[in-house]
Amino acid sequence: MAKGVNSTLVYILGVMFMLSSLFVFEAMLTVFSRFYSDAIAKKLVHIERNNTTRIIVSKQEQANVVRSNCNLFEGSWVIDDDVIEPLYNTTTCPFIRSTFNCTKRPDRQYLKYKWQPSGCDLPRFDGSAFLRKYKGKQIMFIGDSLSLNNYDSFLCLLYVSVPGVNHHTKSTNQSVTVIFEDYRVSVTLFNSLFLVDVEVEPNIGRVLKLNSIKNGEIWKQADILIVNTWLWWTRGGPKQPWDYIEDTDGKLVKEMNRVIAFRRGLNTWTKWVEREVDLTKTKVFYQGQAGSHHHGEDWGEPGVKGCSNQTAPVVGSIYPSGLPLPAQIMKQVLKNMTNSIFLLDITILSHLRKDGHPANHNGYSGFDCTHFCLPGVPDTWNQLFYASLLKLTS
């Protein structure tokens, strides 16, 4: 009998212990639930406050740059202590080509520099505001692979500003266009190595025509043009994409001074702009020559070959070898225009970034000291484009 009572007592005590444990667990769960809810709520409030702060700061920066007479393109590269992570990466942006993808680079310091104009602060690129303002518009980049470098950066800056935005891509044999459907904004890259035409002539071959721009009928339909050329003008051998040059007087030649050819081709383009483009409708930007880094003596390091192992920009605002000849010619030609267009004068600031190239850390077989990593220097080009656009449209 006693044994039965003891068994019953043990059973009752066991049940009571399980019930008390359950109550304690539920109480703890309630406390933790409230704690984490509060933590999440606080985090959300913190994020919202940061977003609000960024919006306020962005608007202040924009207002300041619009009011100032600051030259955005004179300055130096400085460490940005606020940078923790880059604006985007290959996970958050689907537009980065392997050529510009530098995730294999062992160093990350090159991502921490920002361009600091001498007389003002550069406003942040506000992709969301850009898409809203230019709803239904077409933006077109025209040029070579450096335009592609710039184009991919621009797409990424827009894409990450509106997470989940609907978009689709369409291509032709000369262009690729990404359409941000929610805003009906289309961003096009039109491949044109020289701006002037290269045509195949029967019994002659490929002819670079310094006085012909047939693609202009397509270009002038855009609302914003960002134009660039130079990289291919000096190419020779198997990489030369033409067999003859047709000079501006119609004469066909096998070869001519490439710098002279560049000047004449650029003159043809500026005359086309003045004759064919309605500058009250279409805003035209010329993107200056970007910087290649193959010879260390150019930046004050004689004996250094290529951009490999470069981890920091040239200090200061002066590039030791000065302004390259193509950039000088470009400025002279643009200065002679009757109706001025806007020069995105990125030449010196890009030359200062000897550390900004993929080198051998991308999907390219060989050393690339011409294009720039993404994210990286081209994001600053687009920041400058955005700031310049703000000044033009204020």
Side-chain angles (χ1 to χ4, degrees), residues 329-385:
I329 291 171
M330 173 265 299
K331 288 191 172 185
Q332 291 167 6
V333 171
L334 297 186
K335 188 177 180 180
N336 291 333
M337 293 184 70
T338 304
N339 299 313
S340 61
I341 62 174
F342 197 93
L343 171 62
L344 295 171
D345 196 1
I346 63 167
T347 300
I348 292 298
L349 67 91
S350 299
H351 275 72
L352 294 173
R353 289 305 303 271
K354 58 186 174 65
D355 62 318
H357 303 286
N360 62 335
H361 301 299
N362 61 359
Y364 177 73
S365 57
F367 277 81
D368 187 351
C369 297
T370 298
H371 304 97
F372 289 88
C373 292
L374 292 182
V377 174
D379 301 326
T380 298
W381 301 347
N382 282 307
Q383 217 180 338
L384 288 160
F385 160 66

Side-chain angles (χ1 to χ4, degrees), residues 38-105:
D38 288 345
I40 291 169
K42 287 177 181 177
K43 188 172 183 180
L44 290 173
V45 168
H46 179 70
I47 291 172
E48 183 60 32
R49 282 176 178 167
N50 281 347
N51 287 338
T52 302
T53 301
R54 277 196 291 270
I55 290 169
I56 293 171
V57 170
S58 179
K59 289 185 180 298
Q60 289 172 343
E61 290 172 339
Q62 292 175 21
N64 290 340
V65 80
V66 166
R67 286 195 300 265
S68 77
N69 292 318
C70 165
N71 185 336
L72 298 171
F73 304 97
E74 291 181 355
S76 59
W77 292 95
V78 299
I79 289 286
D80 187 352
D81 293 325
D82 294 332
V83 172
I84 299 173
E85 291 293 332
L87 295 169
Y88 57 85
N89 54 46
T90 52
T91 301
T92 58
C93 178
F95 303 112
I96 304 176
R97 286 156 225 270
S98 60
T99 307
F100 313 134
N101 180 3
C102 296
T103 52
K104 293 180 181 178
R105 271 188 70 157

